[in-house]
Amino acid sequence: MKILLVEDDPSTRELLVFHLTAARYTVEQAADGIIAQGLAALWNYDLILLDINIPRLDGLSLCRHLRGQGVATPILMLTAQTGDKDVITGLDAGADEYVTKPFEVSQVLARIRALLRRGAQATTIPPLVWGQLCLNPTLAQVTYSGQVVPLTPKEYSLLELFLRHPQRVFSRSAILDHLWTIDDSPTEGAVTNLVKDLRNRLKRSGVVENVIQTVYGLGYRLRDLPPLVELEPATNGLYKPDGGAQAETQESLLVTAPKGKNLETIAARFQASIQQRLAVVEAAVRSLQAGNLPLQQRAIAQDEAHRLAGGLGTFGYDEGSTYARQIEQLLGDRPLQTIEVDQLSRHLLDLKQTLALTPKPLSTELSQAIAPLPCHLGVALSLEPELLDRLQIDAASHGWHLERATDLSELLQTLAQGRAEAVVLTLDQSAPLAEKLAPLREVKHRFSQLPVLVLTYHDSLEERVQVARLQGDRYLVAPATPSQIFDTLAHLLPETQAPEARVMVVDNDPITRGAITELLTPWGLQVIGLGDPSQFWDMLRQTQPDLLLLALEMPTFSGMDLCQVVRQDSRFGNLPILMMAAHPDTVTVHQVFEMGADDLIGKPIVGPELVTRVLSRIERSRLRQQIEQMRHRQALYWTQQETTDPLTQVANSLHFDAFLQQQWERHCRDQAPISLILCSPDSLPTYYQIYGQQAGDAALRRIARTLHRTVNPNIDLVARCGDDEFAIVLPNTNLDGALRVVSRIQQAVTDLKIPQPTPDEGDYITLSLGIGGTTPTGSLSSDLLLKTADQALKDAKGRGGNTFCLYPMC
């Protein structure tokens, strides 16, 4: 299920994201009301978690706006405003629940579950059952025959999606919308890999049946229960996808969640922010004592006190939260008497003394209840602290646990224990080449088979050659995201054994079927026997074999009949078919091959001949499939190269021109609105001059990735149209919608904190944007839309940058 979290305090937001993700929710984040309003208009969320005191558009106004637009999504307000009047105002604004800060995370999760139950019109969230497979949403656990099935968060969410909608076919894009946030922006290939991983995980846990069915050309759905699966009688009224019931499985440990170490990192970040917030409040108190407190400074101090009141109790300072709330109240709008100023000073002193004490530990109830997923162990040496923190936070979701070695000696001691499966080495760019490669040389000398990923901040051919000579397995140039690093590590692990090939034998003679099974099983083949040809098609679809062995002469349907049926089918048409016949004559041999069989084996069966021909055909079939996949990937690669800008990896100008014209013609037919945004980073040429080509290209790539994340990549298009100019096509979007996108873009680019090359122009790189939009008609053209947006961009730059201009087309 997908939750929109609207909270401007980074520490509180990070804590909630941690626990919500651990509880198997997909979380979208917004730091202000305008961004949240745009996200709520673009996507369908199962619940909105909303703070009241947020920038740009407060939570009450946002709630009223959403309800006025007919949005019925459950809203849980989470705020430090604790008065009865505040609660009544929040509920009257349209909120469904109201929780005050400081809060217990377990209570917030319980209220979220209660709201989701109301949305489902049920008093409890019943387990979802498919045969012996049971998913319990309350415990966030999956069991099969009473045994826990360990799943990653994404695998759990995918299985839950299928179980909740058993009759629905989900396209890959629909699965992307349900399981990923707008910031992730994965490709549809991620869905294919996730489905494959879930199938493998279920199979390794003993699930015999194939739970997920591929609907070719459409997507995936929950497979109907096969007739061989026997269901236990209904006893406890547990919900099943088909409306029946299943006896409740025994309780067991929860599935994987991020490790407790992440909580410590979040708490440490909050601790680091306390002194800065206290300094703001203390400066305001001093100004107040001096009789000169400007209204703006007072409002800022009150806002910081409000955030402290909400965050301190959540992070273990209950008493400190009380003092902060008293300070917030005293810093209100009314003038303060001398005695109240003294009270304010005492409360500030009490708060500082309280913060000097050790806070009570964060609640680990959820973390202790979650069983860790068996994962790969990696060891890192010389990683930057910030990158290491991000890697350790994301490690669990990628199936890894990453340990840090402080020096080469500690690294070698850890590797000597034999538990590590991979090593990440960062090269010291300040050292000579031989010295910075010394750790790699030592690791490969002692542990030659251990995969090593070399991370460097300077791409050098000489360095690459030396790493290759020292048998380094991968060479990765920073900056690199945690996903890139973990994906690279995953490719370094030994490949799993090839899946067991299945051979389906159709022969009404049980002795022949038994003999073939005894001959092929020792060679690692799974043999599926069938004696009744009338059940052939059902068994074929259920088992999906890699090769067919068909007896030529059988009652009801002959082997030739079945061969013809298979060759006519688009799905199984290329399946290898070996025909078996007793003493075939020349006419029979010709007929067998004319019907599409790949080979003919005589009866009685000769063991070595059968094994050789079956293994050869399976190997040849798999090789052909690999070649087809390689050709398909190659075709996709060249297609992508033709339409992608090589530097930024967004669409190039040729693709942009074609896409804009195509969308213009479609919107003209449908009479639907379309908008175009042209944007350009301010001061980027100066940035190139001062910091150099490599740094400028890196900044441009970061901006391009940010633009791509702020739109819906399945519908919208981001393209590079000039050296430092980007275009964003927004189909089915009017100018109001385009403005919401622009607001998100401005905030996201500011959050990148790319330094301005000259101090007099501000702290960070900003954008100038031009917006054009209309509902296309026959008298207008896409060129006019492009010219309108281009003129708007020029005018925005003429105003000094860091702004936008919007010109509707008449």
Side-chain angles (χ1 to χ4, degrees), residues 334-404:
R334 64 183 182 83
L336 295 182
Q337 303 297 325
T338 304
I339 188 172
E340 291 175 317
V341 175
D342 293 339
Q343 287 179 356
L344 188 60
S345 300
R346 285 197 302 272
H347 291 328
L348 178 60
L349 179 60
D350 292 337
L351 175 58
K352 294 170 73 173
Q353 291 175 346
T354 302
L355 294 178
L357 304 175
T358 303
K360 70 178 184 181
L362 285 175
S363 171
T364 56
E365 176 184 345
L366 179 65
S367 302
Q368 291 170 351
I370 295 176
L373 178 70
C375 59
H376 305 290
L377 176 63
V379 186
L381 177 66
S382 302
L383 282 181
E384 290 186 349
E386 182 181 353
L387 177 58
L388 181 63
D389 287 344
R390 290 166 55 203
L391 287 173
Q392 290 179 329
I393 288 172
D394 292 354
S397 61
H398 291 273
W400 282 86
H401 173 62
L402 197 63
E403 293 185 354
R404 175 178 177 267

Side-chain angles (χ1 to χ4, degrees), residues 567-581:
R567 289 294 179 245
Q568 291 172 353
D569 186 73
S570 59
R571 178 179 177 185
F572 298 108
N574 293 323
L575 198 63
I577 300 177
L578 275 63
M579 203 74 75
M580 300 178 293

Side-chain angles (χ1 to χ4, degrees), residues 414-437:
T414 304
L415 298 182
Q417 299 174 7
R419 297 185 297 112
E421 298 177 65
V423 177
V424 182
L425 291 178
T426 303
L427 301 184
D428 183 1
Q429 300 303 324
S430 62
L433 183 61
E435 183 179 334
K436 66 182 176 182
L437 292 176

